[in-house]
Amino acid sequence: MDSCIDVAIIGAGIAGISATISLQREFKKKLNLVVQPAIAGCATDSAAHLYSLSTCLNPRWSRTHPSQHEILDYLIDLVDTNHLRPLIRLGHRFIEARWDPSTDRYSVDVEDVVSGSKTTSTFHVLMIATGIFPSARMLEVPGIDTFQGRLLHSAKWDSAIDLRNKKVAVIGSGPSA
């Protein structure tokens, strides 16, 4: 049996970060995180205390349903307090994972979003912690291809766009809508 268990955690939101903290505390083994981009400009429809780990409570929430920035600040504080930065691979996109029964390992393919280079690593354990909406899917409705304005998705928000004094149609529900 190997002396070290390699673990890949895809996603570094609250689920990925809390899993990493728990695994470090319990097993003190090698861990690797692959991070998906943050969703900008969002808030939560869940109460703030649900984003606080019982082992690292946040008494500083400004309101019951905080903004994405406030949640992100808390997650960054969790990462820094628990010394997770060396484990997080920013700027990488998860492509796929395959189980190899001959080696009892997962092969995980990721892409560097800047250079486009792809790498494959192997792990004993694979945890998917990307949340329920890991990728954006644009609405498909008749006439959308002839729309003259900008189309935005909350999962791929362009914060450089100024929406002041613009007519904006919002399709969807929840805090990102």
Side-chain angles (χ1 to χ4, degrees):
M1 177 132 176
D2 293 332
S3 61
C4 183
I5 298 174
D6 293 321
V7 179
I9 301 174
I10 310 301
I14 192 69
I17 290 170
S18 63
T20 304
I21 292 168
S22 295
L23 286 168
Q24 277 190 319
R25 286 182 180 160
E26 293 296 320
F27 301 106
K28 308 219 185 296
K29 301 293 181 180
K30 178 181 176 187
L31 303 172
N32 289 293
L33 280 174
V34 177
V35 179
Q36 300 293 319
I39 299 173
C42 296
T44 179
D45 58 357
S46 302
H49 70 275
L50 295 175
Y51 285 92
S52 292
L53 301 184
S54 62
T55 56
C56 191
L57 295 174
N58 181 8
R60 297 176 306 277
W61 293 118
S62 66
R63 55 188 180 189
T64 57
H65 295 77
S67 69
Q68 181 261 351
H69 294 289
E70 193 170 354
I71 295 168
L72 184 58
D73 287 345
Y74 172 70
L75 295 178
I76 290 169
D77 185 53
L78 281 177
V79 167
D80 291 341
T81 300
N82 291 280
H83 313 288
L84 303 183
R85 280 192 192 265
L87 303 176
I88 298 175
R89 295 173 60 189
L90 293 170
H92 287 75
R93 182 179 69 85
F94 169 73
I95 300 170
E96 74 172 340
R98 297 167 306 287
W99 175 252
D100 183 349
S102 67
T103 62
D104 288 335
R105 307 269 190 291
Y106 287 95
S107 293
V108 177
D109 300 337
V110 296
E111 177 183 26
D112 182 308
V113 296
V114 175
S115 71
S117 65
K118 296 177 182 172
T119 57
T120 301
S121 302
T122 59
F123 301 92
H124 298 95
V125 178
L126 172 65
M127 178 183 170
I128 305 297
T130 55
I132 60 173
F133 302 115
S135 59
R137 193 173 122 220
M138 293 302 284
L139 183 65
E140 295 175 22
V141 294
I144 196 86
D145 55 332
T146 61
F147 178 67
Q148 300 286 318
R150 291 288 308 262
L151 295 173
L152 300 173
H153 193 289
S154 61
K156 292 186 175 180
W157 193 260
D158 182 354
S159 58
I161 295 176
D162 184 2
L163 297 177
R164 287 178 288 197
N165 301 316
K166 301 271 192 317
K167 290 182 181 180
V168 177
V170 179
I171 302 170
S173 63
S176 60

